[in-house]
Amino acid sequence: MADKSAQVQSISDAFRVDPESFDLAGVDPAATPVGPRSKSEAAADMAVIGRELDRLQEALYAEGTGGGDRRVLLVLQGMDTSGKGGTIRHVAGLVNPQGLRIASFKKPTRTELRHDFLWRVRRQVPPPGHIGVFDRSHYEDVLVARVDNLVPSTEWRRRYRQINAFEAELADQGVTTVKCFLHISPERQRERLIARLEDPLKRWKYNPGDLEVRSKFSRYQLAYSDALVKCSTPVAPWHAVPSDRKWYRNWVVARLLLEALRDLAPTYPEPSYDPAVELARLRDADPLR
Amino acid sequence: MADKSAQVQSISDAFRVDPESFDLAGVDPAATPVGPRSKSEAAADMAVIGRELDRLQEALYAEGTGGGDRRVLLVLQGMDTSGKGGTIRHVAGLVNPQGLRIASFKKPTRTELRHDFLWRVRRQVPPPGHIGVFDRSHYEDVLVARVDNLVPSTEWRRRYRQINAFEAELADQGVTTVKCFLHISPERQRERLIARLEDPLKRWKYNPGDLEVRSKFSRYQLAYSDALVKCSTPVAPWHAVPSDRKWYRNWVVARLLLEALRDLAPTYPEPSYDPAVELARLRDADPLR
């Protein structure tokens, strides 16, 4: 391969949540411990990452058309303004939209609430050969559901195990799950909320309920910490991504996606026909010539 | 607006199918009658188009979150190798994937065949605020269905009217439909099929059935011609896009999409709250400060 993104250490290793030792309080949302040191360095590397992602995504897509069942699922979670939308724009925007499936999980509808919490999620699992992105996910059911007491504690506590079983089932089906918690500080959230309110072109992203949620910041941190620790498994690890700097957040998530695809090493399927025979048909027996 | 794509004449006017006078045989698939004269000129303008599309798409998306029902549906049809996939990559790839919904219509499944031909199509209409792209569409039901006699002629003939009624209904629901027939010559198709067979990384795009379809090239041209003439309506016009040159095809479709969005002139919704009140809450009553 000609241009590969910087051969720094595994970014997955650097940010993966180890359930034995993880301490969310020890993760600095403004840190940039590995990789690019500046926005411009990151931008240059993003272009390189984009080219490699593009090649790998096409191979994955081709593999899927040939009957392969492998695919990638990127799960994005984080507080308001942590940048789920921005990450989709800048990271998912690097690849061919035809091979992409983006699903946003908002407040469940009445129909969705009549089913198990994983029902609506199962319907959005990306098909073979695709890269899926979840903008929020089944983790909301151990986050807002817990903080706002939407279900009894016995119920949300049971969900960690159900989620792990679900994600193990996905792995068995060929899904590589990459989970990213976009970690921002309350100070940075405040700045971004103010920016949304001050810019007429950003006001649509704000609603007064955001301040209610913000007032529960520390309770959410606790709920995230538990979800990350209880559901960071070998087949579907969590990553705590420092997200106070947008350029660093985007770079980390792009690298995590790249590493997942590199590990898959998707391969083009062998043709089910003989190319030489087909070429001869086109060259010697083409009715339109 | 700072940078706008070249103020050439309306590209929609230039390529729109006028049912009164359209003659497919008179459309040169290699023509470049308006706009950029070279690949490099087109590339430069695509960057400009991309920035304007991006702004307009964000406004459309915002409008949708504010209760607006408007959206855009780009329908791509064309013979094998005409570049439906390439157009999605290069045109849809210009916008934020979060506001995009891409649907591919392959050979109908058994479940789909048990319903009306529009059933599976209705399910893929983009939601308000989104740009939808159809990679093939309900037009297959007057193309392959006709050429291969999959249904009696009375049935496919009836479908033109049904399609026009369906598209008028979409217009009433706020959908701007932009239909593009990617028109290539049999010679160019032959070159591209050979290229697919010669390049190991492209062989997955080929299957021997492609030559069967190719042998019916002229019957397909007739079916396309009828579909274009019978279903180019004021609310959902067809465009015949010269597609022998990929760079020109991409530029034309990008411009058609841009013009559709310019015509919509989407607007950011008025906030349902008072920004000054919210700013005061954040500045003076922020519990996390």
Side-chain angles (χ1 to χ4, degrees), chain B residues 12 71-76 125-126 132 134 138-139 166-172 174-180 231 233-239 256 260 264:
Chain B
S12 179
R71 48 207 127 153
V72 174
L73 173 60
L74 180 66
V75 174
L76 301 177
V125 173
F134 281 2
H138 43 296
Y139 283 93
F166 167 60
E167 292 177 358
E169 186 190 317
L170 290 183
D172 289 341
V175 182
T176 294
T177 302
V178 179
K179 297 181 296 195
C180 297
C231 298
T233 60
V235 293
W238 268 108
H239 301 85
L256 291 172
L264 280 181

PDB file of all heavy atoms in Angstrom, chain B residues 12 71-76 125-126 132 134 138-139 166-172 174-180 231 233-239 256 260 264:
ATOM      1  N   SER B  12     -30.837  21.996 -15.590  1.00  0.00           N
ATOM      2  CA  SER B  12     -32.085  21.251 -15.699  1.00  0.00           C
ATOM      3  C   SER B  12     -32.757  21.546 -17.044  1.00  0.00           C
ATOM      4  O   SER B  12     -33.214  20.641 -17.735  1.00  0.00           O
ATOM      5  CB  SER B  12     -33.007  21.598 -14.527  1.00  0.00           C
ATOM      6  OG  SER B  12     -34.223  20.895 -14.638  1.00  0.00           O
ATOM      7  N   ARG B  71     -38.018  17.646   1.055  1.00  0.00           N
ATOM      8  CA  ARG B  71     -36.890  16.721   0.884  1.00  0.00           C
ATOM      9  C   ARG B  71     -36.643  16.559  -0.605  1.00  0.00           C
ATOM     10  O   ARG B  71     -37.462  16.967  -1.416  1.00  0.00           O
ATOM     11  CB  ARG B  71     -37.217  15.374   1.512  1.00  0.00           C
ATOM     12  CG  ARG B  71     -38.593  14.882   1.081  1.00  0.00           C
ATOM     13  CD  ARG B  71     -39.216  13.967   2.111  1.00  0.00           C
ATOM     14  NE  ARG B  71     -40.523  14.418   2.482  1.00  0.00           N
ATOM     15  CZ  ARG B  71     -41.492  13.609   2.931  1.00  0.00           C
ATOM     16  NH1 ARG B  71     -41.263  12.332   3.103  1.00  0.00           N
ATOM     17  NH2 ARG B  71     -42.671  14.095   3.255  1.00  0.00           N
ATOM     18  N   VAL B  72     -35.527  15.932  -0.935  1.00  0.00           N
ATOM     19  CA  VAL B  72     -35.161  15.770  -2.339  1.00  0.00           C
ATOM     20  C   VAL B  72     -34.942  14.289  -2.608  1.00  0.00           C
ATOM     21  O   VAL B  72     -34.372  13.572  -1.777  1.00  0.00           O
ATOM     22  CB  VAL B  72     -33.874  16.572  -2.660  1.00  0.00           C
ATOM     23  CG1 VAL B  72     -33.400  16.290  -4.087  1.00  0.00           C
ATOM     24  CG2 VAL B  72     -34.117  18.065  -2.470  1.00  0.00           C
ATOM     25  N   LEU B  73     -35.411  13.840  -3.755  1.00  0.00           N
ATOM     26  CA  LEU B  73     -35.180  12.454  -4.150  1.00  0.00           C
ATOM     27  C   LEU B  73     -34.510  12.432  -5.519  1.00  0.00           C
ATOM     28  O   LEU B  73     -35.069  12.925  -6.507  1.00  0.00           O
ATOM     29  CB  LEU B  73     -36.511  11.691  -4.225  1.00  0.00           C
ATOM     30  CG  LEU B  73     -36.424  10.276  -4.799  1.00  0.00           C
ATOM     31  CD1 LEU B  73     -35.503   9.393  -3.980  1.00  0.00           C
ATOM     32  CD2 LEU B  73     -37.819   9.654  -4.884  1.00  0.00           C
ATOM     33  N   LEU B  74     -33.295  11.907  -5.540  1.00  0.00           N
ATOM     34  CA  LEU B  74     -32.537  11.780  -6.778  1.00  0.00           C
ATOM     35  C   LEU B  74     -32.671  10.341  -7.261  1.00  0.00           C
ATOM     36  O   LEU B  74     -32.289   9.408  -6.558  1.00  0.00           O
ATOM     37  CB  LEU B  74     -31.071  12.117  -6.484  1.00  0.00           C
ATOM     38  CG  LEU B  74     -30.061  12.052  -7.626  1.00  0.00           C
ATOM     39  CD1 LEU B  74     -30.345  13.127  -8.680  1.00  0.00           C
ATOM     40  CD2 LEU B  74     -28.640  12.237  -7.073  1.00  0.00           C
ATOM     41  N   VAL B  75     -33.250  10.173  -8.462  1.00  0.00           N
ATOM     42  CA  VAL B  75     -33.457   8.833  -9.021  1.00  0.00           C
ATOM     43  C   VAL B  75     -32.418   8.601 -10.120  1.00  0.00           C
ATOM     44  O   VAL B  75     -32.316   9.401 -11.054  1.00  0.00           O
ATOM     45  CB  VAL B  75     -34.880   8.709  -9.612  1.00  0.00           C
ATOM     46  CG1 VAL B  75     -35.053   7.369 -10.322  1.00  0.00           C
ATOM     47  CG2 VAL B  75     -35.931   8.884  -8.513  1.00  0.00           C
ATOM     48  N   LEU B  76     -31.645   7.542  -9.980  1.00  0.00           N
ATOM     49  CA  LEU B  76     -30.619   7.214 -10.983  1.00  0.00           C
ATOM     50  C   LEU B  76     -30.978   5.934 -11.715  1.00  0.00           C
ATOM     51  O   LEU B  76     -31.210   4.892 -11.087  1.00  0.00           O
ATOM     52  CB  LEU B  76     -29.251   7.035 -10.306  1.00  0.00           C
ATOM     53  CG  LEU B  76     -28.714   8.237  -9.528  1.00  0.00           C
ATOM     54  CD1 LEU B  76     -27.382   7.882  -8.863  1.00  0.00           C
ATOM     55  CD2 LEU B  76     -28.538   9.446 -10.440  1.00  0.00           C
ATOM     56  N   VAL B 125     -38.819   6.133   0.543  1.00  0.00           N
ATOM     57  CA  VAL B 125     -38.897   7.580   0.299  1.00  0.00           C
ATOM     58  C   VAL B 125     -38.156   8.288   1.449  1.00  0.00           C
ATOM     59  O   VAL B 125     -38.355   7.954   2.608  1.00  0.00           O
ATOM     60  CB  VAL B 125     -40.372   8.037   0.224  1.00  0.00           C
ATOM     61  CG1 VAL B 125     -40.466   9.558   0.156  1.00  0.00           C
ATOM     62  CG2 VAL B 125     -41.059   7.397  -0.992  1.00  0.00           C
ATOM     63  N   PRO B 126     -37.272   9.221   1.126  1.00  0.00           N
ATOM     64  CA  PRO B 126     -36.490   9.867   2.196  1.00  0.00           C
ATOM     65  C   PRO B 126     -37.385  10.631   3.156  1.00  0.00           C
ATOM     66  O   PRO B 126     -38.391  11.206   2.749  1.00  0.00           O
ATOM     67  CB  PRO B 126     -35.554  10.816   1.430  1.00  0.00           C
ATOM     68  CG  PRO B 126     -36.225  11.044   0.115  1.00  0.00           C
ATOM     69  CD  PRO B 126     -36.945   9.766  -0.203  1.00  0.00           C
ATOM     70  N   GLY B 132     -32.626  11.824  -0.606  1.00  0.00           N
ATOM     71  CA  GLY B 132     -32.655  10.396  -0.898  1.00  0.00           C
ATOM     72  C   GLY B 132     -32.049  10.145  -2.268  1.00  0.00           C
ATOM     73  O   GLY B 132     -32.127  10.990  -3.154  1.00  0.00           O
ATOM     74  N   PHE B 134     -32.010   7.029  -5.160  1.00  0.00           N
ATOM     75  CA  PHE B 134     -32.437   5.699  -5.605  1.00  0.00           C
ATOM     76  C   PHE B 134     -31.452   5.187  -6.654  1.00  0.00           C
ATOM     77  O   PHE B 134     -31.318   5.792  -7.724  1.00  0.00           O
ATOM     78  CB  PHE B 134     -33.840   5.740  -6.224  1.00  0.00           C
ATOM     79  CG  PHE B 134     -34.974   5.791  -5.230  1.00  0.00           C
ATOM     80  CD1 PHE B 134     -34.755   5.836  -3.859  1.00  0.00           C
ATOM     81  CD2 PHE B 134     -36.299   5.769  -5.691  1.00  0.00           C
ATOM     82  CE1 PHE B 134     -35.824   5.873  -2.952  1.00  0.00           C
ATOM     83  CE2 PHE B 134     -37.367   5.804  -4.794  1.00  0.00           C
ATOM     84  CZ  PHE B 134     -37.138   5.866  -3.423  1.00  0.00           C
ATOM     85  N   HIS B 138     -38.434   2.325  -9.162  1.00  0.00           N
ATOM     86  CA  HIS B 138     -39.678   1.789  -9.712  1.00  0.00           C
ATOM     87  C   HIS B 138     -39.664   1.770 -11.244  1.00  0.00           C
ATOM     88  O   HIS B 138     -40.513   1.123 -11.848  1.00  0.00           O
ATOM     89  CB  HIS B 138     -40.870   2.589  -9.192  1.00  0.00           C
ATOM     90  CG  HIS B 138     -40.666   4.089  -9.178  1.00  0.00           C
ATOM     91  ND1 HIS B 138     -39.725   4.710  -8.394  1.00  0.00           N
ATOM     92  CD2 HIS B 138     -41.286   5.086  -9.848  1.00  0.00           C
ATOM     93  CE1 HIS B 138     -39.773   6.017  -8.591  1.00  0.00           C
ATOM     94  NE2 HIS B 138     -40.701   6.274  -9.460  1.00  0.00           N
ATOM     95  N   TYR B 139     -38.725   2.471 -11.864  1.00  0.00           N
ATOM     96  CA  TYR B 139     -38.663   2.420 -13.329  1.00  0.00           C
ATOM     97  C   TYR B 139     -38.223   1.056 -13.849  1.00  0.00           C
ATOM     98  O   TYR B 139     -38.512   0.708 -15.004  1.00  0.00           O
ATOM     99  CB  TYR B 139     -37.796   3.564 -13.876  1.00  0.00           C
ATOM    100  CG  TYR B 139     -38.569   4.860 -13.824  1.00  0.00           C
ATOM    101  CD1 TYR B 139     -38.455   5.706 -12.730  1.00  0.00           C
ATOM    102  CD2 TYR B 139     -39.480   5.189 -14.828  1.00  0.00           C
ATOM    103  CE1 TYR B 139     -39.221   6.867 -12.645  1.00  0.00           C
ATOM    104  CE2 TYR B 139     -40.242   6.341 -14.755  1.00  0.00           C
ATOM    105  CZ  TYR B 139     -40.116   7.181 -13.658  1.00  0.00           C
ATOM    106  OH  TYR B 139     -40.879   8.315 -13.574  1.00  0.00           O
ATOM    107  N   PHE B 166     -48.017   8.358  -8.497  1.00  0.00           N
ATOM    108  CA  PHE B 166     -47.170   8.200  -7.308  1.00  0.00           C
ATOM    109  C   PHE B 166     -46.239   9.395  -7.141  1.00  0.00           C
ATOM    110  O   PHE B 166     -46.106   9.971  -6.051  1.00  0.00           O
ATOM    111  CB  PHE B 166     -46.366   6.901  -7.455  1.00  0.00           C
ATOM    112  CG  PHE B 166     -45.241   6.736  -6.473  1.00  0.00           C
ATOM    113  CD1 PHE B 166     -45.487   6.719  -5.104  1.00  0.00           C
ATOM    114  CD2 PHE B 166     -43.932   6.571  -6.921  1.00  0.00           C
ATOM    115  CE1 PHE B 166     -44.440   6.545  -4.202  1.00  0.00           C
ATOM    116  CE2 PHE B 166     -42.890   6.398  -6.025  1.00  0.00           C
ATOM    117  CZ  PHE B 166     -43.149   6.387  -4.664  1.00  0.00           C
ATOM    118  N   GLU B 167     -45.613   9.815  -8.229  1.00  0.00           N
ATOM    119  CA  GLU B 167     -44.661  10.929  -8.130  1.00  0.00           C
ATOM    120  C   GLU B 167     -45.375  12.253  -7.855  1.00  0.00           C
ATOM    121  O   GLU B 167     -44.815  13.138  -7.201  1.00  0.00           O
ATOM    122  CB  GLU B 167     -43.794  10.986  -9.391  1.00  0.00           C
ATOM    123  CG  GLU B 167     -42.862   9.761  -9.464  1.00  0.00           C
ATOM    124  CD  GLU B 167     -42.004   9.701 -10.723  1.00  0.00           C
ATOM    125  OE1 GLU B 167     -42.146  10.591 -11.588  1.00  0.00           O
ATOM    126  OE2 GLU B 167     -41.198   8.755 -10.839  1.00  0.00           O
ATOM    127  N   ALA B 168     -46.605  12.378  -8.339  1.00  0.00           N
ATOM    128  CA  ALA B 168     -47.385  13.588  -8.023  1.00  0.00           C
ATOM    129  C   ALA B 168     -47.727  13.597  -6.529  1.00  0.00           C
ATOM    130  O   ALA B 168     -47.701  14.645  -5.868  1.00  0.00           O
ATOM    131  CB  ALA B 168     -48.654  13.630  -8.866  1.00  0.00           C
ATOM    132  N   GLU B 169     -48.030  12.432  -6.019  1.00  0.00           N
ATOM    133  CA  GLU B 169     -48.326  12.275  -4.585  1.00  0.00           C
ATOM    134  C   GLU B 169     -47.085  12.646  -3.765  1.00  0.00           C
ATOM    135  O   GLU B 169     -47.180  13.345  -2.753  1.00  0.00           O
ATOM    136  CB  GLU B 169     -48.701  10.803  -4.388  1.00  0.00           C
ATOM    137  CG  GLU B 169     -49.182  10.397  -3.028  1.00  0.00           C
ATOM    138  CD  GLU B 169     -49.269   8.852  -2.966  1.00  0.00           C
ATOM    139  OE1 GLU B 169     -49.760   8.220  -3.930  1.00  0.00           O
ATOM    140  OE2 GLU B 169     -48.809   8.301  -1.950  1.00  0.00           O
ATOM    141  N   LEU B 170     -45.915  12.195  -4.217  1.00  0.00           N
ATOM    142  CA  LEU B 170     -44.680  12.565  -3.527  1.00  0.00           C
ATOM    143  C   LEU B 170     -44.512  14.086  -3.518  1.00  0.00           C
ATOM    144  O   LEU B 170     -44.154  14.676  -2.489  1.00  0.00           O
ATOM    145  CB  LEU B 170     -43.461  11.936  -4.212  1.00  0.00           C
ATOM    146  CG  LEU B 170     -43.275  10.423  -4.100  1.00  0.00           C
ATOM    147  CD1 LEU B 170     -41.962  10.010  -4.777  1.00  0.00           C
ATOM    148  CD2 LEU B 170     -43.266   9.978  -2.646  1.00  0.00           C
ATOM    149  N   ALA B 171     -44.770  14.704  -4.661  1.00  0.00           N
ATOM    150  CA  ALA B 171     -44.626  16.165  -4.737  1.00  0.00           C
ATOM    151  C   ALA B 171     -45.539  16.836  -3.717  1.00  0.00           C
ATOM    152  O   ALA B 171     -45.146  17.796  -3.040  1.00  0.00           O
ATOM    153  CB  ALA B 171     -44.939  16.648  -6.155  1.00  0.00           C
ATOM    154  N   ASP B 172     -46.755  16.310  -3.586  1.00  0.00           N
ATOM    155  CA  ASP B 172     -47.695  16.878  -2.614  1.00  0.00           C
ATOM    156  C   ASP B 172     -47.173  16.736  -1.182  1.00  0.00           C
ATOM    157  O   ASP B 172     -47.539  17.507  -0.300  1.00  0.00           O
ATOM    158  CB  ASP B 172     -49.063  16.173  -2.707  1.00  0.00           C
ATOM    159  CG  ASP B 172     -49.802  16.552  -3.986  1.00  0.00           C
ATOM    160  OD1 ASP B 172     -49.446  17.591  -4.587  1.00  0.00           O
ATOM    161  OD2 ASP B 172     -50.717  15.811  -4.379  1.00  0.00           O
ATOM    162  N   GLY B 174     -44.116  17.079  -0.352  1.00  0.00           N
ATOM    163  CA  GLY B 174     -42.920  17.887  -0.136  1.00  0.00           C
ATOM    164  C   GLY B 174     -41.662  17.313  -0.769  1.00  0.00           C
ATOM    165  O   GLY B 174     -40.559  17.806  -0.514  1.00  0.00           O
ATOM    166  N   VAL B 175     -41.815  16.271  -1.587  1.00  0.00           N
ATOM    167  CA  VAL B 175     -40.643  15.651  -2.207  1.00  0.00           C
ATOM    168  C   VAL B 175     -40.361  16.274  -3.574  1.00  0.00           C
ATOM    169  O   VAL B 175     -41.226  16.268  -4.449  1.00  0.00           O
ATOM    170  CB  VAL B 175     -40.849  14.125  -2.396  1.00  0.00           C
ATOM    171  CG1 VAL B 175     -39.598  13.489  -3.008  1.00  0.00           C
ATOM    172  CG2 VAL B 175     -41.219  13.454  -1.075  1.00  0.00           C
ATOM    173  N   THR B 176     -39.156  16.818  -3.744  1.00  0.00           N
ATOM    174  CA  THR B 176     -38.699  17.266  -5.058  1.00  0.00           C
ATOM    175  C   THR B 176     -37.968  16.104  -5.700  1.00  0.00           C
ATOM    176  O   THR B 176     -36.942  15.655  -5.195  1.00  0.00           O
ATOM    177  CB  THR B 176     -37.734  18.460  -4.913  1.00  0.00           C
ATOM    178  OG1 THR B 176     -38.457  19.574  -4.389  1.00  0.00           O
ATOM    179  CG2 THR B 176     -37.144  18.849  -6.268  1.00  0.00           C
ATOM    180  N   THR B 177     -38.513  15.607  -6.791  1.00  0.00           N
ATOM    181  CA  THR B 177     -37.911  14.441  -7.442  1.00  0.00           C
ATOM    182  C   THR B 177     -37.088  14.873  -8.654  1.00  0.00           C
ATOM    183  O   THR B 177     -37.579  15.606  -9.512  1.00  0.00           O
ATOM    184  CB  THR B 177     -39.018  13.456  -7.873  1.00  0.00           C
ATOM    185  OG1 THR B 177     -39.772  13.081  -6.712  1.00  0.00           O
ATOM    186  CG2 THR B 177     -38.426  12.196  -8.484  1.00  0.00           C
ATOM    187  N   VAL B 178     -35.843  14.433  -8.682  1.00  0.00           N
ATOM    188  CA  VAL B 178     -34.932  14.744  -9.788  1.00  0.00           C
ATOM    189  C   VAL B 178     -34.517  13.413 -10.406  1.00  0.00           C
ATOM    190  O   VAL B 178     -33.841  12.614  -9.761  1.00  0.00           O
ATOM    191  CB  VAL B 178     -33.668  15.473  -9.270  1.00  0.00           C
ATOM    192  CG1 VAL B 178     -32.713  15.785 -10.419  1.00  0.00           C
ATOM    193  CG2 VAL B 178     -34.036  16.749  -8.519  1.00  0.00           C
ATOM    194  N   LYS B 179     -34.955  13.176 -11.640  1.00  0.00           N
ATOM    195  CA  LYS B 179     -34.688  11.875 -12.247  1.00  0.00           C
ATOM    196  C   LYS B 179     -33.623  11.991 -13.332  1.00  0.00           C
ATOM    197  O   LYS B 179     -33.720  12.863 -14.188  1.00  0.00           O
ATOM    198  CB  LYS B 179     -35.985  11.315 -12.837  1.00  0.00           C
ATOM    199  CG  LYS B 179     -37.043  11.075 -11.752  1.00  0.00           C
ATOM    200  CD  LYS B 179     -38.331  10.499 -12.305  1.00  0.00           C
ATOM    201  CE  LYS B 179     -39.048  11.418 -13.248  1.00  0.00           C
ATOM    202  NZ  LYS B 179     -40.452  11.015 -13.515  1.00  0.00           N
ATOM    203  N   CYS B 180     -32.633  11.124 -13.257  1.00  0.00           N
ATOM    204  CA  CYS B 180     -31.511  11.171 -14.187  1.00  0.00           C
ATOM    205  C   CYS B 180     -31.343   9.837 -14.895  1.00  0.00           C
ATOM    206  O   CYS B 180     -31.132   8.803 -14.252  1.00  0.00           O
ATOM    207  CB  CYS B 180     -30.210  11.478 -13.436  1.00  0.00           C
ATOM    208  SG  CYS B 180     -30.214  13.086 -12.642  1.00  0.00           S
ATOM    209  N   CYS B 231     -43.124   9.667 -18.595  1.00  0.00           N
ATOM    210  CA  CYS B 231     -43.060  10.007 -17.167  1.00  0.00           C
ATOM    211  C   CYS B 231     -42.206  11.238 -16.880  1.00  0.00           C
ATOM    212  O   CYS B 231     -41.776  11.440 -15.747  1.00  0.00           O
ATOM    213  CB  CYS B 231     -42.562   8.816 -16.363  1.00  0.00           C
ATOM    214  SG  CYS B 231     -43.664   7.376 -16.484  1.00  0.00           S
ATOM    215  N   THR B 233     -42.704  14.629 -16.145  1.00  0.00           N
ATOM    216  CA  THR B 233     -43.816  15.514 -15.804  1.00  0.00           C
ATOM    217  C   THR B 233     -43.271  16.794 -15.187  1.00  0.00           C
ATOM    218  O   THR B 233     -42.119  16.824 -14.736  1.00  0.00           O
ATOM    219  CB  THR B 233     -44.751  14.823 -14.788  1.00  0.00           C
ATOM    220  OG1 THR B 233     -43.989  14.515 -13.615  1.00  0.00           O
ATOM    221  CG2 THR B 233     -45.332  13.538 -15.368  1.00  0.00           C
ATOM    222  N   PRO B 234     -44.083  17.836 -15.133  1.00  0.00           N
ATOM    223  CA  PRO B 234     -43.578  19.077 -14.527  1.00  0.00           C
ATOM    224  C   PRO B 234     -43.116  18.883 -13.080  1.00  0.00           C
ATOM    225  O   PRO B 234     -42.120  19.481 -12.673  1.00  0.00           O
ATOM    226  CB  PRO B 234     -44.787  20.021 -14.604  1.00  0.00           C
ATOM    227  CG  PRO B 234     -45.569  19.519 -15.782  1.00  0.00           C
ATOM    228  CD  PRO B 234     -45.405  18.022 -15.766  1.00  0.00           C
ATOM    229  N   VAL B 235     -43.800  18.044 -12.319  1.00  0.00           N
ATOM    230  CA  VAL B 235     -43.378  17.890 -10.917  1.00  0.00           C
ATOM    231  C   VAL B 235     -42.234  16.899 -10.747  1.00  0.00           C
ATOM    232  O   VAL B 235     -41.596  16.863  -9.690  1.00  0.00           O
ATOM    233  CB  VAL B 235     -44.535  17.468  -9.973  1.00  0.00           C
ATOM    234  CG1 VAL B 235     -45.557  18.587  -9.864  1.00  0.00           C
ATOM    235  CG2 VAL B 235     -45.179  16.163 -10.402  1.00  0.00           C
ATOM    236  N   ALA B 236     -41.980  16.075 -11.756  1.00  0.00           N
ATOM    237  CA  ALA B 236     -40.903  15.092 -11.630  1.00  0.00           C
ATOM    238  C   ALA B 236     -40.293  14.831 -13.000  1.00  0.00           C
ATOM    239  O   ALA B 236     -40.455  13.770 -13.584  1.00  0.00           O
ATOM    240  CB  ALA B 236     -41.432  13.790 -11.019  1.00  0.00           C
ATOM    241  N   PRO B 237     -39.548  15.820 -13.507  1.00  0.00           N
ATOM    242  CA  PRO B 237     -39.001  15.687 -14.860  1.00  0.00           C
ATOM    243  C   PRO B 237     -37.844  14.683 -14.937  1.00  0.00           C
ATOM    244  O   PRO B 237     -37.119  14.484 -13.968  1.00  0.00           O
ATOM    245  CB  PRO B 237     -38.495  17.100 -15.175  1.00  0.00           C
ATOM    246  CG  PRO B 237     -38.207  17.713 -13.844  1.00  0.00           C
ATOM    247  CD  PRO B 237     -39.197  17.116 -12.884  1.00  0.00           C
ATOM    248  N   TRP B 238     -37.707  14.093 -16.094  1.00  0.00           N
ATOM    249  CA  TRP B 238     -36.531  13.278 -16.401  1.00  0.00           C
ATOM    250  C   TRP B 238     -35.458  14.148 -17.022  1.00  0.00           C
ATOM    251  O   TRP B 238     -35.769  15.132 -17.708  1.00  0.00           O
ATOM    252  CB  TRP B 238     -36.895  12.187 -17.412  1.00  0.00           C
ATOM    253  CG  TRP B 238     -37.319  10.898 -16.800  1.00  0.00           C
ATOM    254  CD1 TRP B 238     -38.582  10.383 -16.764  1.00  0.00           C
ATOM    255  CD2 TRP B 238     -36.459   9.952 -16.145  1.00  0.00           C
ATOM    256  NE1 TRP B 238     -38.561   9.157 -16.115  1.00  0.00           N
ATOM    257  CE2 TRP B 238     -37.275   8.871 -15.729  1.00  0.00           C
ATOM    258  CE3 TRP B 238     -35.090   9.910 -15.858  1.00  0.00           C
ATOM    259  CZ2 TRP B 238     -36.756   7.771 -15.043  1.00  0.00           C
ATOM    260  CZ3 TRP B 238     -34.582   8.819 -15.170  1.00  0.00           C
ATOM    261  CH2 TRP B 238     -35.402   7.753 -14.772  1.00  0.00           C
ATOM    262  N   HIS B 239     -34.212  13.759 -16.790  1.00  0.00           N
ATOM    263  CA  HIS B 239     -33.080  14.389 -17.473  1.00  0.00           C
ATOM    264  C   HIS B 239     -32.285  13.292 -18.149  1.00  0.00           C
ATOM    265  O   HIS B 239     -32.040  12.244 -17.541  1.00  0.00           O
ATOM    266  CB  HIS B 239     -32.188  15.142 -16.484  1.00  0.00           C
ATOM    267  CG  HIS B 239     -32.934  16.205 -15.736  1.00  0.00           C
ATOM    268  ND1 HIS B 239     -33.651  15.930 -14.599  1.00  0.00           N
ATOM    269  CD2 HIS B 239     -33.101  17.520 -15.990  1.00  0.00           C
ATOM    270  CE1 HIS B 239     -34.237  17.047 -14.182  1.00  0.00           C
ATOM    271  NE2 HIS B 239     -33.924  18.021 -14.997  1.00  0.00           N
ATOM    272  N   LEU B 256     -27.603  19.323 -11.126  1.00  0.00           N
ATOM    273  CA  LEU B 256     -29.060  19.127 -11.042  1.00  0.00           C
ATOM    274  C   LEU B 256     -29.497  19.088  -9.580  1.00  0.00           C
ATOM    275  O   LEU B 256     -30.519  19.674  -9.195  1.00  0.00           O
ATOM    276  CB  LEU B 256     -29.469  17.834 -11.762  1.00  0.00           C
ATOM    277  CG  LEU B 256     -29.330  17.865 -13.287  1.00  0.00           C
ATOM    278  CD1 LEU B 256     -29.564  16.464 -13.873  1.00  0.00           C
ATOM    279  CD2 LEU B 256     -30.313  18.867 -13.900  1.00  0.00           C
ATOM    280  N   ALA B 260     -31.871  21.888  -7.689  1.00  0.00           N
ATOM    281  CA  ALA B 260     -33.083  21.500  -6.950  1.00  0.00           C
ATOM    282  C   ALA B 260     -33.056  22.114  -5.550  1.00  0.00           C
ATOM    283  O   ALA B 260     -34.066  22.634  -5.060  1.00  0.00           O
ATOM    284  CB  ALA B 260     -33.178  19.976  -6.870  1.00  0.00           C
ATOM    285  N   LEU B 264     -35.447  25.068  -3.840  1.00  0.00           N
ATOM    286  CA  LEU B 264     -36.161  24.891  -2.571  1.00  0.00           C
ATOM    287  C   LEU B 264     -35.868  26.052  -1.625  1.00  0.00           C
ATOM    288  O   LEU B 264     -36.716  26.460  -0.848  1.00  0.00           O
ATOM    289  CB  LEU B 264     -35.717  23.603  -1.878  1.00  0.00           C
ATOM    290  CG  LEU B 264     -36.319  22.301  -2.377  1.00  0.00           C
ATOM    291  CD1 LEU B 264     -35.785  21.137  -1.544  1.00  0.00           C
ATOM    292  CD2 LEU B 264     -37.844  22.362  -2.261  1.00  0.00           C
TER     293      LEU B 264
END
